[in-house]
Amino acid sequence: MMKLTLAIQKSGRLHEDSMRLLKECGIDMSNGVNKLKADASNFPLELYFLRDDDIPQYVEDNVADIGFVGENVVREKKKEVISCEPLGFGKCRLSIAVKKGDAYNGVEDLKGKKIATSYPVILGDFLQEQGVQAEIHPISGSVEIAPGIGLADAICDLVSSGSTLFMNGLREATPILQSQAVLIKNTQLPPEKEAILEKLLFRIRSVKKARNHKYILLNAPNEKLSSIISLLPGMKSPTVLPLAEPGWSSVHSVLNENDFWNIIEQLRDAGAQGILVVPIEKMIL
Ligand code: PRT
Ligand code: ZN
């Protein structure tokens, strides 16, 4: 039977989240895991474990059909691959940072400066777009120490919490790319593999949706039901069940994480009691 081959990071920041996503998609990878490859026992999928930098190339060359990799790497490598789906993990931004004490009023202040980075392509495109001429100094690691040792005036590197910049006496000046892990695919997958990918994408989207939503249960006096129900978006309309105590009902619905706290407060003000919020495992729409 035909299998889809998926390249994921062998070790590093994206490895665990990539494995977890597959697991939440109900794909069991415990079959024959070795250092290079693993086989799913219950889905037509084979995993390759690679360095993240190599994944776009392998997908372009059809060594792997699809890959999970940071958008930052996809943009830097400029390989011919198709980005199909953001995966919701590995979130960070690529930013220009300067020394804490240096004045910085905007990108034009970088004119004639030396910028150390592991992302010369993305930075080069950005500076060109902005019409700023600066010297790009490509280095492969420990970019954040470059200004401190006099190797560069500024850096362009990935930031998530900002603590690496802070500890090295730098401050974030201009973010140039928001990034997260994405699913990329080869541009010429045969229809049989496209069909397997569709199944995988359907599962990934259900998992992502569920992560963003919560199931909510609450009790309400019947005379306040209509105002409480009007606060709940829900997938269809909420479920309303009578409680054993006369005059009271139980209301069940689904809430989006984004407006969650807002709605909870409004529900309490409207007379809801005994509010329970539970995670949703999968959400099929
Ligand atoms: O061995 P391999 O080549 O596969 O791994 P790698 O060392 O090149 O990559 P790895 O594991 O460090 O990162 C893999 C991917 O994770 C990146 O390509 C990004 O898409 C994503 N990601 C998310 C990050 C970060 N957040 C991140 N914070 N990658 C790196 N960092 C580094 C950053 O370079 C800096 O050194 O963390 C530091 C900053 O973090 P804060 O929290 O101090 O701001
Ligand atoms: Zn890497």
Side-chain angles (χ1 to χ4, degrees), residues 9 11 51-54 73 77 119 140:
Q9 196 187 23
S11 64
R51 285 203 51 201
D52 67 344
D53 315 71
D54 297 333
V73 174
K77 302 291 175 188
Y119 292 87
S140 59

Side-chain angles (χ1 to χ4, degrees), residues 228-242:
I228 286 176
I229 287 172
S230 69
L231 293 168
L232 294 168
M235 284 204 282
K236 289 258 164 56
S237 54
T239 309
V240 180
L241 303 165

Side-chain angles (χ1 to χ4, degrees), residues 85-98:
E85 181 78 15
L87 298 174
F89 60 84
K91 286 185 180 164
C92 58
R93 52 202 186 270
L94 184 65
S95 290
I96 294 170
V98 297

Side-chain angles (χ1 to χ4, degrees), residues 27-46:
I27 298 172
D28 179 12
M29 300 305 315
S30 54
N31 234 17
V33 179
N34 70 31
K35 288 206 166 94
L36 294 171
K37 290 205 243 175
D39 253 315
S41 58
N42 57 358
F43 195 85
L45 186 76
E46 185 172 28

Side-chain angles (χ1 to χ4, degrees), residues 195-263:
I196 303 172
L197 175 58
E198 263 320 302
K199 285 191 179 155
L200 178 63
L201 280 170
F202 177 77
R203 294 190 187 191
I204 289 174
R205 286 170 187 146
S206 303
V207 169
K208 276 173 56 190
K209 274 235 167 59
R211 282 182 186 165
N212 285 330
H213 290 80
K214 299 275 182 262
Y215 193 78
I216 178 169
L217 304 90
L218 59 86
N219 296 334
N222 288 344
E223 69 271 14
K224 298 196 170 150
L225 267 182
S226 61
S227 57
I228 286 176
I229 287 172
S230 69
L231 293 168
L232 294 168
M235 284 204 282
K236 289 258 164 56
S237 54
T239 309
V240 180
L241 303 165
L243 286 184
E245 189 175 334
W248 282 76
S249 297
S250 167
V251 180
H252 301 199
S253 189
V254 171
L255 283 187
N256 192 312
E257 192 98 270
N258 296 327
D259 32 51
F260 178 76
W261 286 111
N262 235 336
I263 292 183

Side-chain angles (χ1 to χ4, degrees), residues 176-207:
I176 67 176
L177 173 75
Q178 297 292 330
S179 181
Q180 63 174 295
V182 292
L183 189 158
I184 56 170
K185 69 169 181 178
N186 179 271
T187 53
Q188 276 158 350
L189 286 186
E192 300 90 325
K193 291 194 172 184
E194 285 284 359
I196 303 172
L197 175 58
E198 263 320 302
K199 285 191 179 155
L200 178 63
L201 280 170
F202 177 77
R203 294 190 187 191
I204 289 174
R205 286 170 187 146
S206 303
V207 169

Side-chain angles (χ1 to χ4, degrees), residues 8-15 50-55 69-73 89-93 118-119 140 142-144 157-167 179-181:
I8 69 165
Q9 196 187 23
K10 181 177 162 65
S11 64
R13 286 168 197 268
L14 302 182
H15 177 80
L50 298 169
R51 285 203 51 201
D52 67 344
D53 315 71
D54 297 333
I55 291 176
V69 66
E71 211 174 331
N72 51 301
V73 174
F89 60 84
K91 286 185 180 164
C92 58
R93 52 202 186 270
S118 318
Y119 292 87
S140 59
S142 304
V143 176
E144 65 278 0
D157 198 11
L158 298 175
V159 181
S160 42
S161 68
S163 66
T164 303
L165 293 183
F166 181 80
M167 285 189 300
S179 181
Q180 63 174 295

